[in-house]
Amino acid sequence: MPHSSQQHAIRLFIRRLEGHSGLSDQDRQTLEGLPGSLVNMPAQCDFVHLGQPVDHVSLIVDGLVARFSQTEDGKRQILALGVPGDIADLSTAFLPAKISGLQALTRTTIFRIAHSRLREIAAGSRSLLEAFYRDCLADAAIGNQWLLNIGRRDSRSRIAHLLCETSMRYRRARQDHGFALPLTQLHLADALGLTPVHINRTLQTLRNAQLLRLGRGFVEILDWDMLAEIAEFNPSYLNDFAARMPAPAMC
Amino acid sequence: MPHSSQQHAIRLFIRRLEGHSGLSDQDRQTLEGLPGSLVNMPAQCDFVHLGQPVDHVSLIVDGLVARFSQTEDGKRQILALGVPGDIADLSTAFLPAKISGLQALTRTTIFRIAHSRLREIAAGSRSLLEAFYRDCLADAAIGNQWLLNIGRRDSRSRIAHLLCETSMRYRRARQDHGFALPLTQLHLADALGLTPVHINRTLQTLRNAQLLRLGRGFVEILDWDMLAEIAEFNPSYLNDFAARMPAPAMC
DNA sequence: CGGTCGGTTGAAAGCCTTCAAACGGTGTGG
DNA sequence: CCACACCGTTTGAAGGCTTTCAACCGACCG
């Protein structure tokens, strides 16, 4: 059912907005009626290329998306991870930016919404515009945390921090308890400013310390408290997204 | 003349907004009439502490300001640099965030504006709200570039990139040609995720390559093209701020 | 069954850090 | 006016975290 899946994603997006902003019934209806098109991407597909101007945003229906940039010699840096219910590049609707691309990390389905549509509905509702504004600010807060993480922490803490953060955010989108992390070690490396080889070795030390278990595409955090301590993880920067979780009790 | 200096700063801020957004005469008048208070800070003064909630933003009238975060063991990461005409923490007016602090890098004067005032005037003008929105997005674009810089470039490129960026941004705020950079090597280290010692050594290689000259608080870029090449510097992410420069002709 | 992808391992090298000490300029107090 | 203290810069030596290069392994897929 393609129609219901996009509806589901839009509702997740609405929930995300409501994590930091108040919406009217009218706003919710407007969002739910948003026209667009569903697109499927295979894993590892760069569906928005660096430097390529786009006229639509990508609402993530299912899967996992990386917003990235890269150096001229091809070294990639992931700037943000998008989970279902996120609009991976919401900011481009209001300030065109060609410095980042979008990559599907797993098989992913996207709901494309035209920039012009988003601007229209933002023009029609101040509360929606504010909600979009805050949504971008929330992303920026996460970006700031990444800057601290990459600039000032060693590989062990970096990985721990990303796992803690992703665990909380993913849990918000998908309400299951154990959490699936379909990130390859190469993706982790690109997100954390490290090499895949070093990610591998550091992951081993975390496993050996009984902090987590890894399967193909799965992570199970065995000792949340210890991991959070290594990461110096303080979820307050997630701006209440986490507060909206169903049954946390984990920090 | 304290009054005129704050007026000057507000006009710089207006120019900054006009770099990406259209403002009405009414908007400009509203901004110019903004009440607040002038505060002077000595160099190295943390005037907004980490985790401390604030009810006002800081418009930089004169000097240089770092927005920073730090790890529990005190290692600091500068997240953004603010030059005169910037509001260093505009986003806090719309989404309270306690994860970053503000530090004066030199003797600095700030014009404090209450959050409530900013929200009021944003509520009174859609174009102002949008201008604030875009201003935050422009900051976020710079933050993304920093993430790439710190995550994926070596110390030489990192320094070169920061110098190119700061050169362009500073030049916009202060219209003189040679540019004063009142950053200590420790500040550079905190901004780039390196140690002061390594900054020092890397700076020497840049000097020896005849790319720049350093005095106390001054940088003179001798070979812009070469420096920009090392940095892989592409000013497009600065979102037309640079386009508003008086007399560039340097890239 | 061969190919591909992601993960794992080893050895060597390199970039950057750490620790310590010394240097020069500036401002202050005697 | 000089002595002293302070701050930012500079230098050396040693060590460590991370990278690089290369190879191998195991699982999944056609």
Side-chain angles (χ1 to χ4, degrees):
Chain A
M1 264 186 280
H3 178 263
S4 87
S5 69
Q6 81 191 44
Q7 280 304 97
H8 176 66
I10 290 182
R11 289 211 191 87
L12 281 177
F13 179 57
I14 290 174
R15 250 207 307 154
R16 182 184 152 118
L17 293 181
E18 289 178 329
H20 48 68
S21 303
L23 296 180
S24 66
D25 288 341
Q26 172 70 50
D27 291 336
R28 276 184 286 272
Q29 276 177 35
T30 308
L31 288 169
E32 288 184 359
L34 225 36
S37 55
L38 280 174
V39 191
N40 282 301
M41 310 292 174
Q44 319 309 333
C45 167
D46 289 8
F47 61 95
V48 173
H49 295 277
L50 270 176
Q52 160 195 312
V54 287
D55 60 354
H56 61 271
V57 298
S58 298
L59 169 58
I60 304 167
V61 177
D62 191 51
L64 193 61
V65 169
R67 192 163 55 80
F68 67 91
S69 183
Q70 56 188 29
T71 61
E72 283 170 14
D73 55 338
K75 281 186 287 192
R76 185 165 287 202
Q77 175 65 47
I78 294 180
L79 305 171
L81 289 177
V83 301
D86 292 357
I87 293 186
D89 51 358
L90 177 58
S91 66
T92 62
F94 298 93
L95 188 74
K98 297 148 304 191
I99 57 145
S100 57
L102 254 32
Q103 174 190 22
L105 301 185
T106 67
R107 196 171 308 141
T108 292
T109 122
I110 291 298
F111 185 59
R112 282 188 180 161
I113 305 169
H115 281 172
S116 55
R117 285 291 184 184
L118 269 186
R119 281 198 296 258
E120 268 171 34
I121 69 173
S125 161
R126 166 173 307 280
S127 51
L128 266 182
L129 178 61
E130 275 187 37
F132 292 156
Y133 188 177
R134 289 211 190 83
D135 208 59
C136 289
L137 294 183
D139 272 346
I142 294 177
N144 284 338
Q145 201 68 38
W146 282 36
L147 220 30
L148 175 64
N149 206 26
I150 293 177
R152 287 304 187 201
R153 286 201 253 257
D154 66 12
S155 63
R156 208 174 143 83
S157 299
R158 278 190 225 184
I159 293 181
H161 199 278
L162 183 66
L163 290 179
C164 287
E165 179 188 300
T166 311
S167 162
M168 287 205 122
R169 289 186 56 207
Y170 226 58
R171 196 174 284 238
R172 190 184 57 84
R174 323 175 54 149
Q175 314 215 358
D176 46 3
H177 205 69
F179 95 99
L181 187 73
L183 287 174
T184 67
Q185 295 181 356
L186 194 144
H187 296 145
L188 286 173
D190 285 343
L192 296 171
L194 297 166
T195 54
V197 174
H198 195 61
I199 291 283
N200 182 294
R201 295 198 232 266
T202 309
L203 237 23
Q204 288 179 42
T205 72
L206 293 175
R207 268 187 312 206
N208 291 339
Q210 309 287 332
L211 298 175
L212 46 84
R213 291 196 317 168
L214 296 173
R216 52 191 139 287
F218 274 82
V219 180
E220 189 180 350
I221 295 178
L222 298 177
D223 187 340
W224 174 273
D225 292 339
M226 191 61 194
L227 199 66
E229 190 179 321
I230 290 174
E232 298 183 355
F233 184 69
N234 178 337
S236 69
Y237 72 95
L238 290 174
N239 280 300
D240 292 335
F241 288 163
R244 227 143 275 277
M245 291 192 327
M250 53 190 212
C251 71
Chain B
M1 261 188 280
H3 178 263
S4 87
S5 70
Q6 81 190 43
Q7 279 305 97
H8 176 65
I10 289 182
R11 287 210 193 87
L12 281 177
F13 179 57
I14 290 175
R15 253 211 301 156
R16 183 184 152 116
L17 293 182
E18 288 178 330
H20 48 67
S21 302
L23 296 180
S24 66
D25 288 341
Q26 172 69 50
D27 290 336
R28 275 184 287 272
Q29 276 177 35
T30 307
L31 288 170
E32 288 184 359
L34 225 35
S37 55
L38 279 174
V39 190
N40 281 302
M41 310 291 173
Q44 317 310 331
C45 167
D46 288 8
F47 61 95
V48 173
H49 295 276
L50 270 177
Q52 160 195 311
V54 288
D55 60 355
H56 60 270
V57 297
S58 299
L59 170 58
I60 303 167
V61 177
D62 192 51
L64 194 62
V65 169
R67 192 162 55 79
F68 67 92
S69 183
Q70 56 188 30
T71 62
E72 284 169 13
D73 55 339
K75 280 186 288 190
R76 185 166 288 203
Q77 175 66 47
I78 294 180
L79 305 171
L81 289 176
V83 299
D86 292 356
I87 292 186
D89 51 358
L90 177 58
S91 67
T92 62
F94 298 93
L95 188 74
K98 297 149 303 189
I99 56 145
S100 58
L102 254 32
Q103 174 191 21
L105 301 184
T106 66
R107 196 171 307 142
T108 292
T109 121
I110 291 297
F111 184 59
R112 280 189 181 160
I113 304 168
H115 281 172
S116 55
R117 284 289 184 185
L118 269 186
R119 280 198 296 257
E120 267 172 33
I121 69 171
S125 161
R126 167 175 305 280
S127 51
L128 265 181
L129 178 61
E130 273 187 37
F132 291 156
Y133 187 178
R134 289 212 191 83
D135 207 59
C136 289
L137 294 183
D139 272 346
I142 294 176
N144 283 337
Q145 201 68 38
W146 282 36
L147 220 30
L148 175 64
N149 207 25
I150 293 177
R152 287 305 186 200
R153 287 201 253 256
D154 66 11
S155 63
R156 207 173 145 83
S157 299
R158 278 190 225 184
I159 294 181
H161 199 279
L162 184 66
L163 290 179
C164 288
E165 179 188 300
T166 310
S167 162
M168 287 206 121
R169 290 186 56 206
Y170 225 58
R171 194 174 285 238
R172 190 184 57 82
R174 325 174 54 150
Q175 315 216 357
D176 46 1
H177 205 70
F179 95 98
L181 187 73
L183 286 173
T184 68
Q185 294 181 359
L186 194 145
H187 296 145
L188 285 174
D190 285 342
L192 296 171
L194 296 166
T195 55
V197 174
H198 195 62
I199 292 283
N200 182 291
R201 296 197 229 267
T202 309
L203 236 25
Q204 289 180 41
T205 72
L206 293 175
R207 269 188 312 208
N208 292 339
Q210 309 287 332
L211 297 175
L212 45 84
R213 291 196 318 169
L214 296 173
R216 52 189 140 287
F218 275 82
V219 180
E220 188 180 351
I221 295 178
L222 298 176
D223 188 341
W224 174 273
D225 292 340
M226 192 61 193
L227 199 66
E229 190 180 322
I230 290 173
E232 298 183 356
F233 183 69
N234 179 337
S236 69
Y237 72 95
L238 290 175
N239 280 300
D240 292 335
F241 288 164
R244 228 144 275 275
M245 291 191 329
M250 54 189 213
C251 73

